[in-house]
Amino acid sequence: MISILCPCFNEEKSLPLFWERITGVLDGNGEDYEFVFVNDGSTDGTLSVMLRLAGLRVSVRVISLSRNFGKEAALSAAIDYAAGDAVIPIDADLQDPPELIPDMIAKWKEGYDVVLARRTDRKSDSFLKRWTAGCFYRLHNRISHPPLPENVGDFRLMSRRVIDVVKLLPERQRFMKGLFAWVGFDTAVIGYTRAERSAGKSSFNFFRLWKLAVEGITSFSALPLVIWSYLGGLISLAAFLYAGYIALRTLIYGVSVPGYASTLCLILFLGGLQLLGIGVIGEYLSRTYMEAKGRPLYVVADVFGPGGKREESTENPLLR
Ligand code: UDP
Ligand code: MG
C-alpha cells in the first residue's frame, strides 16, 4: 500500500481540485492507496472538506492538529500515522503534479528506496525566490553534510524502511528535507515542471522562508558556531604582526602620535582573543548540540551473510 501524505493549512479551495485530480490519476492504477490528510490548524473550512472526502472512501484518514504547528510538524504527524509500504508527501495546492506518482512507484519497484521529484524549471517562482533558493542551497551544501539535493521539495517517495528511520530521529527541530537527506539509501530522481498554485495563497512569505533556511543550516552545520575561533585567531595574528611592525617603525623613525599605535594593537589583539574564546565555546556548544540531537551513528541498508546472502531484517530498523 502507498500512503499519500497531505499537510494542509487553509486549503479549502485547493483540496477539492486536488482530490479530483489525484484520484483521477491513482484510480485504476492497480495499486492500493491510503490518504493521510493533516489539518494544520486551518482557520477556514479545510477540516470539513477533509471530512467530506473521508466520507467518500474508507482509505482516507484525517488528522486534525490543535493549532497551526507549521508544515514540518504537520508532515511529521502524517508520517507517524501513515501505514503504507511507501509514503509520498504532496502539497495540496497541486504545485506537485500527481501525474508523477505512477513513475515514482515504478522506480520504487525497481528497487530504489527514495525517489526524488526535482523541479527542472522554477518559472512559477519569482526571480527573487529562485535566486534566494539558489543561494541557500549553495551555502547549505558547502557547510553541511550530507548535501541537500537542489530544487527538491518534500514531494518524493520514500520506502517504509526510510520512514522508519526518519521516525527514529529524536530531534525536536525538524527540518524535514534535511532529515530525509540524512537518512540516505538508494535514490532515483525524476524531473518535473512546477506549476502555479491552483487556488488560495502560499503561506510561506519571505520571513518564514528565511526562518526555514536558518533552521536548515543550524540543524546540520556547526560552522556558524565555530567559525569565530578561526576568525579570532587570524585577527590576533594580524594584530601581533602589526604590533611588531609598529614597534620597529617607532624604533627607527620615533613616535608620531603618542599612544595611538599601542592602543590600536591592544584593541585588535584583545578583540581577536575574545573571538577566539567565543569560538572555543562554540566548539563545545556544537558538540553538546549534536549530542542533544541524539541522532543514530549510522543506518544500515542491508546485511549480507555467508555467500553474500542478504539476511532478513531485524527488529531494529537501524540495524537491518
Ligand atoms: N502547510 C501546512 N502548514 C503550514 C503552512 C503550509 O501544512 O503552516 C501546507 C500547505 O497547506 C501546503 C504545503 O504545506 O499543502 C505547502 O505550502 P505552500 O503551498 O503555502 O508553500 P509554497 O508551495 O509556497 O512553498
Ligand atoms: Mg505551494
Side-chain angles (χ1 to χ4, degrees), residues 95-248:
Q95 287 195 294
D96 305 330
E99 288 73 21
L100 236 52
I101 292 176
D103 299 344
M104 288 175 158
I105 294 172
K107 283 279 179 202
W108 173 54
K109 291 198 165 152
E110 274 174 35
Y112 290 100
D113 281 285
V114 180
V115 185
L116 303 177
R118 167 171 287 142
R119 304 164 194 176
T120 47
D121 153 4
R122 300 184 63 135
K123 276 206 201 85
S124 65
D125 289 335
S126 69
F127 172 76
L128 190 70
K129 182 154 180 191
R130 269 179 287 164
W131 185 74
T132 46
C135 290
F136 167 72
Y137 282 115
R138 268 197 301 281
L139 177 67
H140 185 280
N141 291 349
R142 183 156 287 185
I143 66 178
S144 311
H145 193 75
L148 282 181
E150 275 189 49
N151 295 325
V152 172
D154 292 323
F155 185 39
R156 60 182 71 200
L157 178 146
M158 289 171 286
S159 68
R160 175 46 57 185
R161 59 180 185 168
V162 172
I163 282 302
D164 281 344
V165 176
V166 171
K167 282 165 73 172
L168 274 177
L169 299 178
E171 58 196 272
R172 320 301 309 167
Q173 303 284 324
R174 297 177 82 78
F175 179 65
M176 298 307 282
K177 263 194 270 198
L179 296 183
F180 294 156
W182 185 90
V183 171
F185 287 103
D186 284 350
T187 301
V189 180
I190 49 186
Y192 74 102
T193 307
R194 193 153 172 86
E196 301 273 357
R197 219 173 200 289
S198 60
K201 64 178 185 0
S202 169
S203 30
F204 285 85
N205 55 23
F206 183 77
F207 187 61
R208 220 167 152 179
L209 282 173
W210 168 256
K211 278 201 336 208
L212 192 67
V214 172
E215 183 69 62
I217 286 173
T218 54
S219 291
F220 286 87
S221 173
L223 192 74
L225 271 177
V226 303
I227 194 172
W228 306 107
S229 40
Y230 299 97
L231 211 69
L234 267 174
I235 292 180
S236 304
L237 188 73
F240 209 68
L241 294 176
Y242 188 54
Y245 161 73
I246 287 180
L248 219 86

Side-chain angles (χ1 to χ4, degrees), residues 6-11 14 38-42 46 65 68-75 90-96 119 125 129 154 194 197 201-205 208-209:
C6 187
C8 296
F9 175 62
N10 291 349
E11 301 280 12
S14 336
V38 177
N39 171 31
D40 186 13
S42 301
T46 300
L65 305 184
N68 179 250
F69 283 90
K71 186 183 176 189
E72 310 295 297
L75 191 54
I90 184 168
D91 288 356
D93 57 10
L94 288 175
Q95 287 195 294
D96 305 330
R119 304 164 194 176
D125 289 335
K129 182 154 180 191
D154 292 323
R194 193 153 172 86
R197 219 173 200 289
K201 64 178 185 0
S202 169
S203 30
F204 285 85
N205 55 23
R208 220 167 152 179
L209 282 173

